[in-house]
Amino acid sequence: DGGGCCHGPKSLEGKRLAVIEGYAYDEGIDSYIEQHKADASRIVVVNSVGRAAVAAVSNLVGKRADVWIENRYVGVDTLTKLELADRIVERGALDAPEDVYIACTPADPRGARYAQMFSDGIARLRSEGKLAEVLARYGLR
């Protein structure tokens, strides 16, 4: 973009964007993805099953994609674990931070069970004071 920071769909011109199947980003990026999803020279779709963030990074390292949009904390954690934090550079952020959600499908009976297990686990961590410890490791409160 010629500047120090990249914002919005215009900053993606001439770049291949790695997106994780089923993810929602923001209205402008989601519209851009919908408009160009059939164009492999613009959109590289990463399967959401398994380690999607690792697969997205693999596309960057393998030069199959130029850009990856991810929650800052997920991105930093992924790059740190892969020992690639010095090779992948953050260039910008979406306009407003978004909450991260975990979704469990109601179409599979295990979905409700997993959602309840997650909720119960968070409640237990919070009541034992351990949730704050985990969050602190990532600079969160």
Side-chain angles (χ1 to χ4, degrees), residues 6 11-12 15-19 42 44 56 59-60 64-69 91:
C6 304
S11 68
L12 298 172
K15 299 191 176 46
R16 292 164 297 172
L17 172 63
V19 298
R42 290 180 181 236
V44 177
N59 277 284
L60 293 176
R64 293 177 298 278
D66 305 304
V67 179
W68 166 50
I69 299 173
R91 290 289 310 219

Side-chain angles (χ1 to χ4, degrees), residues 54-74:
V54 172
V57 170
S58 174
N59 277 284
L60 293 176
V61 172
K63 300 191 184 300
R64 293 177 298 278
D66 305 304
V67 179
W68 166 50
I69 299 173
E70 184 56 85
N71 171 276
R72 170 174 273 147
Y73 301 107
V74 173

Side-chain angles (χ1 to χ4, degrees), residues 17-79:
L17 172 63
V19 298
I20 298 174
E21 180 182 41
Y23 271 31
Y25 298 94
D26 75 9
E27 191 174 309
I29 299 296
D30 290 347
S31 177
Y32 177 87
I33 293 167
E34 183 62 30
Q35 181 180 355
H36 300 291
K37 67 183 176 186
D39 185 350
S41 71
R42 290 180 181 236
I43 305 293
V44 177
V45 179
V46 175
N47 192 313
S48 62
V49 176
R51 298 171 50 169
V54 172
V57 170
S58 174
N59 277 284
L60 293 176
V61 172
K63 300 191 184 300
R64 293 177 298 278
D66 305 304
V67 179
W68 166 50
I69 299 173
E70 184 56 85
N71 171 276
R72 170 174 273 147
Y73 301 107
V74 173
V76 167
D77 184 60
T78 301
L79 295 175

Side-chain angles (χ1 to χ4, degrees), residues 1 10 19-20 33 37 50 52 80 87 95 108 119 136 141:
D1 69 350
K10 283 194 178 260
V19 298
I20 298 174
I33 293 167
K37 67 183 176 186
T80 300
R87 291 188 57 198
D95 291 333
D108 183 329
S119 293
R141 292 180 291 146

Side-chain angles (χ1 to χ4, degrees), residues 122-140:
I122 293 293
R124 186 173 56 254
L125 287 171
R126 183 173 281 126
S127 71
E128 295 171 357
K130 292 184 179 176
L131 182 60
E133 292 174 24
V134 172
L135 293 174
R137 282 188 238 150
Y138 298 94
L140 301 171

